[in-house]
Amino acid sequence: MSLEGTVHTAGSKVWFVDPVESWAKAEVLKLDGDQIIVRAENGKEFKCNAADAPLQNPDPLGEEDMTRLPYLHEPGVLWNLKCRYQQDDIYTYTGTILIAVNPFTSLPHLYGTHMMDQYKGAELGELSPHVYAIAEASYRQMRTENKGQSILVSGESGAGKTETSKLIMKYLAYMGGQKGHSQERNVEEQVLESNPLLEAFGNAKTVRNDNSSRFGKYVELNFNKAGCISGACIRTYLLERSRVVSVNDPERNYHIFYQLCGGASSEQKAKWRVQPADQYHYLNQSTCYKLTGVDNSEEFVHTCVAMTRVGIPAEDQEALLCTVSAVLSLGNITFEDGNNDDSVPTPGKGTKALEDASFLLGVDTDGLKKALTTRTRQTPDGPIVSPLDAKAASENRDSLAKVIYAKMFDWLVARINTAIGEDKNAVSSVGVLDIYGFESFKTNDFEQFCINLANEKLQQHFNQHVFKMEQAEYEREKIDWSYIEFVDNQDVLDLIEGKVGILDLVDETCRFPTAKASDLAQKLYNTGSCKDSKRFSKPKISNTAFTIDHYAGMVTYETTNFLDKNKDFVVAEHQNLLAGSTSPFVSALFYEEPPPEGSGPSKGFKAFKFNSVGSQFKKQLGDLMTALQAMEPHYVRCIKPNSFNKPSLFENANTLHQLRCGGVLEAVRISCAGFPSRRPYADFVDHFWQLAPDLIKQEDLDDRTISERIIGKASIKFGSGYQLGETKVFLRAGQLAILDKVRTEMLNKAATTIQRFARGWLANRHYCKLQAASAFIQSAARALFARREFTRSLWRQHRAFTEYKAVYGMVLKIQSVWRGRNARSTFLNLRRLKAAILIQSAWKSWRAHTTFVAQRHAALVLQTTAKRELRELRSEARESGKLLEDKKALEIKMLEMQETLDMVQNQRNELRQQVKDEKAIVAEGQRQLKELRAEQAVLLVAASASTAADLESEVAAREKWEEEAKSLQATFSEMSDKAAKDKAELERKFATAQEYINRQMNERSEIEKKFHGMKDDLINRLQNACNQRDEARGQVLELQNENEKLRESLGVKDRQLVIASAAAAAAAAVQASASPHSSSTTWLMRLRKLTQA
């Protein structure tokens, strides 16, 4: 049969990608080439690619070991954990890896001595998954192989790493203390008591966890030949120093600070100068001082008891707590700028804090002030003391506080190791690594960079272990695995810690005092080892950040604080000051080994050479990995199911992210690279025998041969699709789904055939039963009806005879009674007729009077209504007449206004005509003036040829003409002025007339509006009057109808009265004759009833 194409069929249960739940369930409805149409659980139907919809596992309750899942993929792993978590099964295996989901509630039935006894001596996988099973496996393997074992516990903050590590150590102490002596039992107690002590100094509240470990811890338990604990050693990694001086709200600083402020006695507070927590700058940066369900005073007592149990003397305890108070007092020292570019402590609170800190540290106040406000630089010419400004002094103070706390924490760990005692001659050991999980926040700093480096190293170790286990499985089953590809993350490690890697570049940049974060970022961008790596990239929107593609995803780091947090050298002034402290504890913290003799005069100064947190962490991590490589690893991956720390709440997206960060999905990927589906031959045959049912009948075939032939019938190629081991069938990814598809199709076909025959047989049997039952029912019904009919005939005969005899006797009696009754009835009818006549006459009289009164009242009402309507109509008519008169007056006034307007227009026309005439006269004068000037010019031309006398006469004539011209010009000017004045007067009159006309027109329009309004109002009133008249007429008609109905009802009542009178008379007559003839009346009534029946 051909199996190419999709492995889905109609009705297959699949997973699809959901933006909210990450993966959600659906059912295949139809196949459409490379795509399928599915229906989700909420009823929504959509189309998706078949390759993006993996098949669901058939077991809804989940598997204890996820390697036994038929389909090993991301949604299968996620929902298997969710199903088990909802049943309070918080532990699940993935091969030899234990996945522990934090329940956020107490489960006492899972822990204690009774559970330890059950898992004691049990093989891994023999009982349900449990952290005790991992501890038992490591202890038993250590005992049998005499080889060191390591248990690596990882997970994000709040996933339960610390509690899981405690449970592992309790089990190992339980197993390692059974045959020990009292001294060895003391070692176990010291190991267990070191946990709360280190939690007090190294744990703090974060956004995700109220008791988050801010350091990595590796506890190595030493065992002797008898298998008993003979010693222990604790190593810590990367304490978060920056938390000492800077806390984000609503997180907290380290627990010991709050325990000291809330749990110290009055004498201790006075001695160590302890103040309330909200008075310290290092603590009041956050508003959270107390944890829910945690008493700081009780925790302080537990911490002191733990220090006593691990062997720390009372004087060292007091010195340790005194130094803790000194760190808090350092944070309250504030500075202000001085007069010469220097800084001084702030008077009052700052000075008081300086005095408290110097007292608690056992140093001189002026010496501490100088160490905080100045910086000494050694030169060939001698030391140079430079003052620091207020900001630099505050940073110097914070640096000193971080160094003191870090050295104090290291001293505490060393003292615990000294008190417990490491057995160098131990036969073997078991190490428990409680390490921070992979972290990726919105803003990632140097701590996240180092944490993720450690997780990259551990992930490489984890991948190698998983691949090694896969290889061991294949070798044990004699499977060819040489072609399986293994993808390593060595390129990421080379990018970070390789030669000229990121750590080297950070250290190199830290050597320059003036270097900034941007300088470090540019160096990372331009260095070949970084920019040429596929795992390194630069964000587009930042010039001080870089991105690394880790195994768990892309993480962007901000380099703003990289340089400050990477520096780990002690300032010379601080070292010299605190090394000379009067407190033995403080001076021991800062004790420096003297340089060897002959090392030169500058060796003492060079003792304060540069050192970095990154290089130290790299060295510690290398030592840790070297130790782990020499041990047999066991893995516990802790999962935080929700971000609210609430029980019974499982967030798919959050859990899936942790599975990726914890390497669980990477282990699944490695498993899927080979043969992820593997089943024993018996189980395989039991599940897939339907593909070749004829092979089951052949007794000479074993399960291996049957399995091989079943796979052969499914056309799966050997090698590339499957291989046969010694005890199991190994299938490539997807091949099991193909077999299940074929099996499902064959089962569906067989089920259809079986259903067809079964339904036919059931239908035939049902028909036969119905046929037999119907025949039996029919015969019984016929017999019943026959018996009932015979019984009825006998009863009718008896009843008829009895009734006949009774009727015959009654008839004889009724005849005699009837004759007497007729006579009495005749007499009574006569009396009743007379009484009825009297009643009728009285009733008719009353009815006539009532009718008259009602009609009179209706007439009066009608007349009153008509008169009122008539008055209203007359009033409205008078109002309409007045409106008509007003209209006539308005019309007359409009005529007058029209006449006035005509007169004004006529005057305007006359004025216009006058203006035209004046203009014509002026034009005529101008024309004459031009003619005179022309004649004058002609005369002047002729004058040259005339005589003197003629010239004189011409001159005289010219003067005469000039005088006439002047007179004409004056006349013309006067006429022009007069015309202008007349024109202005006419324009003024015209404007006045126009304004008057406009005013009259406005009044006319207002009058017309008022007239139309009055007209409309009058029409509405007339219409209302007509409507009221019609309503009155309707009411009159209704009254007439009611009058007719009253008459009819009175007639009916008359008839009823007559009938009632007759009935009363008849009843009286019957009552009169009832006493002597009661028996006859009774027989008469019975006879009537019998007759009616």
Side-chain angles (χ1 to χ4, degrees):
M1 65 187 68
S2 177
L3 296 176
E4 296 181 358
T6 180
V7 296
H8 302 85
T9 60
S12 297
K13 306 294 183 181
V14 297
W15 299 103
F16 71 93
V17 178
D18 184 76
V20 178
E21 295 292 333
S22 296
W23 291 96
K25 295 181 179 180
E27 181 180 356
V28 178
L29 299 180
K30 185 180 178 182
L31 303 181
D32 187 8
D34 294 337
Q35 293 186 328
I36 56 175
I37 300 176
V38 300
R39 180 173 58 225
E41 290 184 334
N42 57 8
K44 182 179 178 181
E45 298 182 5
F46 57 92
K47 183 183 291 186
C48 65
N49 293 327
D52 298 333
L55 294 173
Q56 296 181 23
N57 290 302
D59 188 4
L61 301 179
E63 284 282 353
E64 292 183 348
D65 188 353
M66 289 193 290
T67 59
R68 295 201 296 263
L69 289 173
Y71 307 115
L72 188 60
H73 42 56
E74 185 176 289
V77 171
L78 177 65
W79 282 87
N80 187 74
L81 291 176
K82 183 174 184 178
C83 293
R84 290 182 57 77
Y85 180 74
Q86 292 172 348
Q87 303 168 29
D88 287 338
D89 294 330
I90 62 174
Y91 295 113
T92 307
Y93 288 134
T94 302
T96 59
I97 305 166
L98 179 68
I99 299 176
V101 185
N102 194 341
F104 292 115
T105 187
S106 178
L107 299 175
H109 65 282
L110 289 181
Y111 310 105
T113 308
H114 66 288
M115 292 299 293
M116 294 182 186
D117 290 335
Q118 290 185 24
Y119 283 89
K120 178 182 176 183
E123 293 286 340
L124 187 66
E126 182 179 343
L127 299 177
S128 298
H130 202 286
V131 67
Y132 289 160
I134 298 295
E136 169 63 25
S138 63
Y139 180 79
R140 187 177 61 256
Q141 196 168 352
M142 176 201 68
R143 294 282 293 148
T144 56
E145 299 179 4
N146 288 329
K147 183 180 178 181
Q149 306 292 312
S150 62
I151 303 176
L152 283 70
V153 183
S154 64
E156 74 168 29
S157 179
K161 302 186 300 295
T162 303
E163 294 300 323
T164 302
S165 300
K166 290 179 184 178
L167 293 172
I168 293 172
M169 286 189 287
K170 284 182 180 179
Y171 186 87
L172 293 175
Y174 172 77
M175 296 298 296
Q178 290 183 351
K179 299 179 181 180
H181 303 289
S182 60
Q183 182 179 358
E184 293 167 348
R185 169 61 74 175
N186 189 35
V187 173
E188 302 154 18
E189 293 178 356
Q190 289 175 335
V191 171
L192 296 178
E193 286 297 335
S194 67
N195 288 322
L197 183 57
L198 292 177
E199 288 179 9
F201 284 86
N203 287 24
K205 178 190 182 302
T206 62
V207 177
R208 298 185 177 183
N209 185 11
D210 289 348
N211 188 32
S212 175
S213 298
R214 308 316 301 161
F215 66 100
K217 180 176 64 175
Y218 180 70
V219 181
E220 186 173 324
L221 303 177
N222 306 129
F223 292 86
N224 56 21
K225 293 182 179 181
C228 300
I229 296 177
S230 58
C233 179
I234 300 175
R235 299 185 184 90
T236 59
Y237 305 94
L238 195 63
L239 176 70
E240 188 180 0
R241 301 183 182 187
S242 60
R243 183 171 291 270
V244 177
V245 299
S246 177
V247 182
N248 297 323
D249 196 19
E251 296 185 350
R252 290 206 325 171
N253 213 315
Y254 291 106
H255 296 327
I256 187 61
F257 293 132
Y258 304 94
Q259 294 175 9
L260 179 64
C261 295
S265 63
S266 302
E267 294 78 7
Q268 291 173 333
K269 289 182 179 180
K271 184 177 182 181
W272 300 329
R273 302 189 180 186
V274 179
Q275 302 178 24
D278 57 358
Q279 299 298 320
Y280 288 110
H281 170 66
Y282 287 162
L283 304 184
N284 60 20
Q285 298 175 36
S286 171
T287 57
C288 180
Y289 300 103
K290 294 183 179 180
L291 298 178
T292 305
V294 178
D295 189 349
N296 290 327
S297 59
E298 293 181 1
E299 293 299 319
F300 180 73
V301 174
H302 294 164
T303 301
C304 294
V305 172
M307 286 192 288
T308 302
R309 289 185 177 178
V310 297
I312 299 177
E315 57 272 15
D316 288 344
Q317 295 182 28
E318 183 175 347
L320 180 65
L321 297 175
C322 180
T323 308
V324 172
S325 179
V327 173
L328 293 176
S329 298
L330 276 175
N332 284 355
I333 302 176
T334 56
F335 301 92
E336 61 183 15
D337 293 329
N339 298 325
N340 299 319
D341 295 333
D342 59 351
S343 60
V344 295
T346 304
K349 183 178 179 181
T351 305
K352 175 67 167 55
L354 178 65
E355 294 174 356
D356 292 343
S358 60
F359 170 77
L360 295 172
L361 292 174
V363 297
D364 182 61
T365 303
D366 294 335
L368 180 60
K369 174 183 175 182
K370 181 180 179 182
L372 295 178
T373 58
T374 62
R375 179 63 54 83
T376 302
R377 294 178 176 83
Q378 298 291 339
T379 64
D381 298 332
I384 299 177
V385 179
S386 302
L388 301 176
D389 58 12
K391 181 179 179 182
S394 299
E395 294 176 353
N396 198 17
R397 172 205 63 194
D398 292 341
S399 176
L400 177 59
K402 291 189 288 185
V403 169
I404 292 175
Y405 194 85
K407 287 184 174 292
M408 184 172 56
F409 186 79
D410 293 339
W411 176 90
L412 180 64
V413 174
R415 195 56 188 265
I416 292 174
N417 289 332
T418 303
I420 296 175
E422 181 180 4
D423 186 4
K424 300 293 185 180
N425 300 320
V427 175
S428 56
S429 60
V430 177
V432 181
L433 178 64
D434 179 2
I435 196 71
Y436 14 63
F438 190 90
E439 292 184 354
S440 178
F441 304 129
K442 186 176 182 180
T443 301
N444 300 283
D445 215 329
F446 187 69
E447 290 85 2
Q448 282 72 45
F449 180 75
C450 295
I451 287 171
N452 292 342
L453 169 60
N455 279 273
E456 284 285 356
K457 297 284 286 186
L458 294 173
Q459 184 64 31
Q460 185 185 47
H461 184 263
F462 175 75
N463 291 347
Q464 291 173 353
H465 172 71
V466 173
F467 188 67
K468 180 180 177 182
M469 297 297 293
E470 288 287 310
Q471 290 177 343
E473 176 79 10
Y474 295 153
E475 289 177 354
R476 187 167 53 251
E477 292 289 334
K478 298 181 180 180
I479 295 297
D480 183 13
W481 52 269
S482 58
Y483 52 83
I484 298 176
E485 182 182 358
F486 172 67
V487 180
D488 197 3
N489 61 341
Q490 184 61 42
D491 53 345
V492 182
L493 298 176
D494 293 339
L495 171 66
I496 297 175
E497 63 176 3
K499 188 176 181 180
V500 198
I502 295 177
L503 284 179
D504 289 346
L505 295 175
V506 173
D507 289 346
E508 180 182 343
T509 309
C510 286
R511 296 179 184 275
F512 297 94
T514 59
K516 299 180 181 179
S518 58
D519 300 332
L520 172 61
Q522 292 301 321
K523 184 173 291 187
L524 293 176
Y525 300 154
N526 298 325
T527 304
S529 59
C530 295
K531 68 179 182 179
D532 295 339
S533 176
K534 296 180 180 179
R535 300 279 191 157
F536 183 89
S537 61
K538 175 186 178 299
K540 296 181 180 179
I541 59 176
S542 176
N543 291 323
T544 58
F546 64 92
T547 302
I548 296 179
D549 185 9
H550 290 282
Y551 71 92
M554 307 285 284
V555 181
T556 300
Y557 300 98
E558 185 63 46
T559 62
T560 306
N561 301 318
F562 263 50
L563 299 179
D564 293 335
K565 293 184 177 182
N566 187 52
K567 296 175 183 178
D568 189 42
F569 55 88
V570 180
V571 180
E573 293 86 342
H574 300 169
Q575 175 70 30
N576 297 332
L577 177 67
L578 297 178
S581 171
T582 58
S583 171
F585 179 79
V586 176
S587 62
L589 290 180
F590 287 85
Y591 174 74
E592 186 73 19
E593 290 289 341
E597 296 181 359
S599 59
S602 62
K603 293 292 183 180
F605 171 69
K606 289 185 177 179
F608 300 97
K609 64 180 180 179
F610 172 79
N611 195 7
S612 68
V613 174
S615 60
Q616 292 182 27
F617 183 71
K618 177 181 176 181
K619 182 178 180 302
Q620 292 177 346
L621 195 57
D623 296 340
L624 174 63
M625 298 310 300
T626 301
L628 293 179
Q629 292 292 348
M631 295 182 176
E632 185 68 24
H634 304 269
Y635 292 94
V636 179
R637 293 292 190 250
C638 297
I639 301 296
K640 184 179 181 181
N642 62 80
S643 56
F644 303 101
N645 298 348
K646 292 183 179 180
S648 303
L649 179 60
F650 194 92
E651 296 177 347
N652 290 349
N654 185 29
T655 304
L656 192 61
H657 174 70
Q658 294 177 68
L659 290 174
R660 294 193 182 104
C661 295
V664 176
L665 297 182
E666 185 71 11
V668 172
R669 186 193 64 78
I670 294 174
S671 179
C672 290
F675 298 91
S677 301
R678 56 198 71 174
R679 285 195 175 187
Y681 290 121
D683 294 344
F684 185 85
V685 172
D686 184 61
H687 187 72
F688 291 108
W689 65 268
Q690 297 89 351
L691 301 182
D694 54 326
L695 298 178
I696 303 299
K697 302 176 182 179
Q698 301 180 18
E699 298 180 357
D700 56 335
L701 298 179
D702 57 0
D703 291 340
R704 177 190 173 101
T705 305
I706 296 175
S707 301
E708 184 177 6
R709 293 188 181 182
I710 289 175
I711 297 174
K713 286 193 174 185
S715 300
I716 299 177
K717 297 181 180 179
F718 179 80
S720 61
Y722 77 98
Q723 286 198 31
L724 300 177
E726 294 294 322
T727 60
K728 298 178 182 178
V729 178
F730 290 81
L731 296 169
R732 285 283 192 181
Q735 302 304 316
L736 187 64
I738 295 175
L739 290 172
D740 275 334
K741 176 185 177 181
V742 177
R743 177 177 177 271
T744 301
E745 292 175 347
M746 294 188 67
L747 289 177
N748 290 340
K749 185 176 180 181
T752 303
T753 304
I754 294 172
Q755 289 174 358
R756 177 167 57 85
F757 283 101
R759 287 172 181 169
W761 181 80
L762 291 174
N764 183 49
R765 188 179 67 172
H766 182 64
Y767 172 76
C768 294
K769 287 183 177 180
L770 288 177
Q771 189 179 29
S774 61
F776 177 78
I777 291 171
Q778 289 174 359
S779 62
R782 292 190 186 99
L784 177 63
F785 291 152
R787 288 191 295 272
R788 184 179 296 175
E789 186 63 25
F790 177 74
T791 304
R792 286 178 179 177
S793 63
L794 292 177
W795 168 249
R796 285 195 294 268
Q797 181 180 0
H798 170 70
R799 187 177 62 181
F801 181 74
T802 304
E803 289 177 354
Y804 169 75
K805 291 179 66 177
V807 170
Y808 181 78
M810 286 192 295
V811 168
L812 295 178
K813 294 181 180 179
I814 287 171
Q815 289 177 352
S816 61
V817 174
W818 179 256
R819 292 187 184 95
R821 178 184 177 281
N822 286 338
R824 290 188 296 273
S825 177
T826 302
F827 175 74
L828 291 174
N829 286 336
L830 292 175
R831 291 180 61 185
R832 189 182 304 112
L833 180 61
K834 185 176 180 180
I837 292 171
L838 292 175
I839 293 172
Q840 288 177 358
S841 62
W843 165 253
K844 289 178 180 179
S845 175
W846 176 83
R847 185 181 63 183
H849 180 266
T850 303
T851 303
F852 170 74
V853 171
Q855 290 178 349
R856 184 178 61 182
H857 178 71
L860 291 175
V861 171
L862 181 61
Q863 292 174 359
T864 302
T865 304
K867 289 177 181 180
R868 183 173 64 252
E869 295 294 332
L870 182 61
R871 286 195 299 272
E872 293 178 355
L873 292 174
R874 288 176 178 175
S875 176
E876 293 174 353
R878 285 195 297 272
E879 292 179 357
S880 63
K882 185 178 180 180
L883 291 173
L884 293 174
E885 292 176 359
D886 293 340
K887 179 182 177 183
K888 291 178 179 179
L890 290 173
E891 291 176 351
I892 293 169
K893 192 173 182 180
M894 288 297 299
L895 292 174
E896 294 175 354
M897 291 174 62
Q898 187 66 34
E899 292 176 356
T900 303
L901 180 62
D902 295 338
M903 181 182 68
V904 171
Q905 289 179 350
N906 293 332
Q907 291 177 357
R908 184 185 64 181
N909 295 332
E910 291 175 357
L911 290 174
R912 288 179 177 176
Q913 187 64 35
Q914 291 178 3
V915 171
K916 290 180 179 181
D917 294 340
E918 292 294 336
K919 288 182 178 180
I921 293 170
V922 172
E924 182 65 22
Q926 290 178 350
R927 186 184 62 78
Q928 292 177 2
L929 181 61
K930 290 180 180 180
E931 291 177 353
L932 287 175
R933 287 178 178 176
E935 292 177 358
Q936 184 180 4
V938 173
L939 290 176
L940 289 175
V941 173
S944 61
S946 63
T947 60
D950 294 334
L951 181 62
E952 291 178 357
S953 61
E954 289 294 333
V955 169
R958 179 181 178 183
E959 291 177 353
K960 183 178 179 181
W961 282 107
E962 288 180 353
E963 290 177 358
E964 290 179 357
K966 289 180 180 178
S967 62
L968 289 173
Q969 189 173 5
T971 304
F972 177 75
S973 299
E974 290 176 359
M975 292 177 67
S976 298
D977 294 338
K978 183 178 180 181
K981 291 180 181 179
D982 293 342
K983 181 179 180 181
E985 182 66 20
L986 287 173
E987 289 179 351
R988 185 183 62 78
K989 290 181 180 180
F990 179 76
T992 304
Q994 188 70 29
E995 182 180 357
Y996 178 74
I997 290 169
N998 293 333
R999 188 166 59 253
Q1000 293 298 324
M1001 292 296 291
N1002 293 334
E1003 291 178 357
R1004 178 181 178 182
S1005 62
E1006 291 178 358
I1007 291 171
E1008 287 180 352
K1009 290 180 182 179
K1010 185 176 179 182
F1011 171 73
H1012 288 301
M1014 295 173 66
K1015 181 179 179 182
D1016 294 338
D1017 186 36
L1018 180 60
I1019 292 172
N1020 291 333
R1021 290 182 179 181
L1022 290 174
Q1023 290 179 352
N1024 292 335
C1026 293
N1027 293 334
Q1028 291 177 358
R1029 182 194 61 192
D1030 295 338
E1031 290 178 357
R1033 289 178 180 176
Q1035 290 177 357
V1036 171
L1037 293 175
E1038 289 179 357
L1039 290 173
Q1040 291 178 356
N1041 293 333
E1042 291 179 355
N1043 191 10
E1044 292 295 331
K1045 291 179 181 180
L1046 288 173
R1047 289 179 181 178
E1048 292 178 359
S1049 62
L1050 288 175
V1052 173
K1053 288 182 179 179
D1054 289 342
R1055 289 191 296 271
Q1056 290 178 352
L1057 183 60
V1058 172
I1059 294 171
S1061 300
V1070 172
Q1071 185 176 5
S1073 62
S1075 55
H1077 304 287
S1078 60
S1079 61
S1080 300
T1081 303
T1082 302
W1083 283 107
L1084 180 61
M1085 292 177 65
R1086 290 182 179 179
L1087 180 61
R1088 287 179 179 176
K1089 290 181 180 180
L1090 181 62
T1091 306
Q1092 291 175 357

